[in-house]
Amino acid sequence: MRKLLRPFYLVYQLVIALPVIVLATIFTALEVALGCALGDGHFWGYYPGRWWAKVILRVLLLPVTVEGREQLERGQSYVFVANHQGAFDIFLIYGHLGRNFKWMMKYQLKKIPFVGFACERSHQIMVDKRSAGKVRKTYEQARQTLEQGYSVTVFPEGARSFTGHMGAFKKGAFALADELQLPVVPLTINGSFDILPRMRGFNFVNWHPLRLTIHQPIYPVGQGTENMNATLRQAYDSVMSALEPKYQGFVENPDQ
């Protein structure tokens, strides 16, 4: 049945979904930029983006399931770490995690029209590894965000998967959580790779359900390298445990 409906879904994307997404993206970017210039950047940097992400998923008719939101405490800052299956990870987390947070993202994303501008104005954390000084600046911004009572979301693989499987986790997010003695919350994303596998250029999306699993927070049991490494291993195992069987297991990502 899905194969029979695919031609209609492709036409729907081109004629209806794509124009709506483009207009929603432009409107949201302008709203964020104006709101951040006139008011609270933490408010305008989150809620319009949340609305934008939900609109994109709904206009593409993609069903979403969220599990484990009851694990999170009101008012608690978290370091969220998720597997990075594809571009739709952004929309799933932004629209459905239900927490005000800042992204830690590659600085190259500033080049995306409208989106990059909005990210800068809303104080998203651009990870720039071109020099030691830029790395320190990145983590100082993340530290300030967390100390103000907000959360951050990180893809510790550092790059989207080529296969849907998980690569290795880098230590940066876990070092930050260890330094500030904050809980790490693992997030498992399923379905994003099936919707849009990693590839170059414009491509139509495939219809597929999305699922976000919020795991139990991992609280620090000490401070230092041992605690950081133990948290990383536990977070990695938690994320892996909820992946669909076809994506279980480590596969090296050459882009890491």
Side-chain angles (χ1 to χ4, degrees):
M1 178 62 73
R2 190 176 297 183
K3 289 183 178 180
L4 293 174
L5 293 176
R6 179 159 175 74
F8 297 99
Y9 188 48
L10 296 181
V11 172
Y12 169 81
Q13 288 181 52
L14 189 61
V15 175
I16 297 177
L18 182 59
V20 171
I21 290 170
V22 170
L23 290 174
T25 299
I26 295 172
F27 175 80
T28 304
L30 295 175
E31 182 183 18
V32 170
L34 181 61
C36 289
L38 298 177
D40 183 2
H42 289 299
F43 176 89
W44 292 101
Y46 172 67
Y47 288 98
R50 183 184 181 189
W51 168 86
W52 168 73
K54 285 188 173 184
V55 165
I56 289 176
L57 295 179
R58 287 179 180 177
V59 78
L60 288 170
L61 312 177
L62 300 172
V64 173
T65 302
V66 180
E67 302 170 343
R69 197 179 280 135
E70 69 280 357
Q71 307 272 18
L72 306 179
E73 296 181 23
R74 185 183 299 273
Q76 172 67 56
S77 294
Y78 293 108
V79 177
F80 294 102
V81 296
N83 60 312
H84 204 0
Q85 278 202 336
F88 277 77
D89 302 342
I90 305 294
F91 309 130
L92 179 60
I93 293 176
Y94 219 162
H96 294 277
L97 180 59
R99 302 288 292 203
N100 192 334
F101 67 88
K102 299 294 184 186
W103 291 103
M104 292 187 69
M105 58 179 65
K106 291 182 177 180
Y107 78 93
Q108 293 93 332
L109 295 176
K110 292 192 294 185
K111 299 178 182 179
I112 300 176
F114 296 103
V115 174
F117 178 71
C119 288
E120 281 195 282
R121 294 306 298 254
S122 61
H123 311 296
Q124 305 301 328
I125 302 162
M126 301 294 179
V127 180
D128 191 340
K129 298 181 179 179
R130 289 177 292 178
S131 70
K134 292 183 183 297
V135 171
R136 285 194 297 271
K137 184 178 179 180
T138 294
Y139 282 96
E140 179 58 33
Q141 186 181 356
R143 188 181 297 109
Q144 291 174 3
T145 297
L146 289 162
E147 288 175 344
Q148 290 172 13
Y150 297 94
S151 298
V152 298
T153 298
V154 186
F155 295 114
E157 293 167 274
R160 287 172 292 155
S161 171
F162 286 97
T163 64
H165 297 77
M166 284 170 57
F169 275 8
K170 298 180 180 180
K171 294 183 178 180
F174 303 95
L176 184 64
D178 176 73
E179 178 185 343
L180 298 178
Q181 290 290 279
L182 290 173
V184 171
V185 179
L187 306 173
T188 301
I189 294 168
N190 280 295
S192 180
F193 185 80
D194 299 277
I195 290 170
L196 189 65
R198 185 173 180 179
M199 56 188 72
R200 293 183 180 275
F202 172 81
N203 292 279
F204 289 98
V205 305
N206 303 305
W207 186 92
H208 195 281
L210 281 163
R211 187 171 79 250
L212 176 65
T213 303
I214 303 170
H215 296 276
Q216 185 174 358
I218 304 170
Y219 285 86
V221 294
Q223 190 167 24
T225 302
E226 186 175 350
N227 175 68
M228 179 188 69
N229 290 335
T231 303
L232 186 155
R233 289 192 298 270
Q234 187 176 345
Y236 190 92
D237 291 344
S238 294
V239 176
M240 181 73 77
S241 70
L243 279 174
E244 295 180 14
K246 62 182 177 180
Y247 296 127
Q248 288 281 336
F250 168 81
V251 173
E252 184 176 0
N253 187 337
D255 201 23
Q256 286 193 300

